[in-house]
Amino acid sequence: MVFGSGVPTVGVDELKADDFLLDVREDDEWQAGHAAEALHIPMSEFVARYGELTEAAPQDGRVYVVCRVGGRSAQVTQYLVQQGIDAVNVDGGMQAWEAAGRPVVDDNGQPGSVV
């Protein structure tokens, strides 16, 4: 599936437990609820913190980028693809993640919610 102008996109149902997930939502959204194993780099800080992604992401693996509904993550995905990284946007974002019954935790590891 493709989002907008050629941004590669997948549905939440296509994600496996060991896929590398990058959450680009802002701090308040992350604190309320996120996927437990996701790397958090807010879109507003992404370019400055890009090195954190390149250190954490699997060398030959894909980066699945998520935000609340898919708009911000589509922009970050497009940037990553331009940098030569195998990245895809998660369609529907964390709202779709939560709706699919996937676990969402808050900053304390307790059940969280998507805001």
Side-chain angles (χ1 to χ4, degrees):
M1 178 180 272
V2 174
F3 179 93
S5 60
V7 175
T9 303
V10 298
V12 169
D13 58 330
E14 296 176 57
L15 296 174
K16 298 177 203 70
D18 60 345
D19 286 336
F20 185 85
L21 192 64
L22 170 65
D23 190 323
V24 297
R25 295 175 302 145
E26 295 303 315
D27 288 336
D28 61 327
E29 296 171 288
W30 169 265
Q31 291 163 359
H34 57 270
E37 302 301 321
L39 172 65
H40 179 230
I41 304 176
M43 182 177 167
S44 62
E45 302 171 15
F46 190 76
V47 174
R49 294 177 58 189
Y50 178 75
E52 292 177 42
L53 171 67
T54 58
E55 287 179 19
Q59 288 295 326
D60 295 321
R62 176 170 280 177
V63 175
Y64 294 86
V65 188
V66 67
C67 67
R68 183 168 172 249
V69 295
R72 289 172 285 178
S73 55
Q75 293 175 57
V76 172
T77 298
Q78 187 170 34
Y79 174 81
L80 291 173
V81 168
Q82 290 170 348
Q83 305 309 308
I85 293 179
D86 181 10
V88 294
N89 184 37
V90 178
D91 189 36
M94 286 302 296
Q95 285 187 334
W97 178 279
E98 185 176 49
R102 296 211 176 201
V104 175
V105 297
D106 67 13
D107 257 4
N108 298 314
Q110 300 301 311
S113 61
V114 176
V115 296

